[in-house]
Amino acid sequence: ARNGMALRSAVSRAAIAMPFLALLSAAAAIDCSNLDVATMTEIDGSCSKKADPSDCSSYYKWLDAASGQVRICHGPEGSDTDCTGTVVDGCSCAVEAAGRTALLGFAGETGEQWCFEMAGFSDPECENYYVEHGAKEVIEAPGYEPCSAGCMVCGPKQTDPNDDSTQSCSQVGATFFNCVETAAPTAAPTFAPTAAPTAAPDPPSPPPPSPPPPSPPPAPPPPSP
């Protein structure tokens, strides 16, 4: 009888623990790859109260956008009827890259590598791109994760405030890095740079304008009478 009671107690504890373990497992699987600010909806409050339980994974809440800390909604899990939120750090690149087209920099096609090749200083299209910084061999390495060598967004930039000829569409703002946490690879190893770049490489400058032609020589004086 004593053994039977112990067995029933163990089964009861296991039954109570299973939903909790399932919740922990689901939370552990949530990372920055689950965040897409272009298609998801930010809520003002908790996932359990503000997110639609029929589509939990479509909602998120920034806790600190500057550092990339966000609560990502998911679920419902187990017997729950409400969404659950998991706090994830380091997702700032989801903000920087959202809605922008990647340029591959040194690894890109000629004429489509840098910001200034895609748009001009006053062109709204300038802000539709971001640029990979890594060397060609880094970006083309098997398993390379976008922006793991660093990226910067494109935007209007004037290097000399007194000289309009220095205006261009260029790399601006802070460097950001990939926010996708990947599982251990089974085939080709994931390549990661040994050290993060400390500064963004400047793209090649557009050629300077041609100098004006030289002035003609002064006319000779008229002959003396």
Side-chain angles (χ1 to χ4, degrees):
R2 188 177 302 169
N3 290 340
M5 291 179 62
L7 179 59
R8 285 194 297 272
S9 177
V11 171
S12 178
R13 287 196 301 270
I16 294 172
M18 285 179 66
F20 179 70
L21 293 175
L23 182 62
L24 286 179
S25 177
I30 300 297
D31 57 34
C32 295
S33 64
N34 298 100
L35 178 65
D36 183 354
V37 297
T39 61
M40 294 169 66
T41 301
E42 183 171 10
I43 55 176
D44 182 18
S46 67
C47 295
S48 61
K49 293 182 179 179
K50 296 291 185 176
D52 181 356
S54 67
D55 193 15
C56 295
S57 59
S58 292
Y59 299 90
Y60 70 98
K61 169 65 178 176
W62 283 117
L63 303 179
D64 184 353
S67 69
Q69 186 181 69
V70 62
R71 179 184 292 116
I72 301 176
C73 302
H74 54 95
E77 276 92 22
S79 60
D80 289 344
T81 57
D82 295 326
C83 300
T84 301
T86 295
V87 176
V88 182
D89 293 305
C91 296
S92 58
C93 83
V95 179
E96 301 291 354
R100 297 177 185 259
T101 299
L103 302 177
L104 298 182
F106 296 110
E109 297 290 333
T110 301
E112 298 181 353
Q113 296 171 290
W114 308 106
C115 307
F116 75 87
E117 295 175 309
M118 307 306 294
F121 174 80
S122 58
D123 187 346
E125 288 288 316
C126 176
E127 298 185 357
N128 289 349
Y129 300 92
Y130 66 95
V131 184
E132 287 270 6
H133 293 185
K136 187 175 188 292
E137 60 272 19
V138 172
I139 296 172
E140 294 180 347
Y144 176 76
E145 290 290 348
C147 294
S148 62
C151 287
M152 288 182 72
V153 297
C154 297
K157 182 177 181 179
Q158 183 169 348
T159 55
D160 183 346
N162 300 314
D163 185 356
D164 288 350
S165 69
T166 64
Q167 294 176 342
S168 66
C169 179
S170 187
Q171 296 175 107
V172 296
T175 303
F176 62 94
F177 297 86
N178 68 307
C179 60
V180 179
E181 299 176 8
T182 56
T186 55
T190 298
F191 182 90
T194 55
T198 56
D202 288 329
S205 300
S210 301
S215 302
S224 301

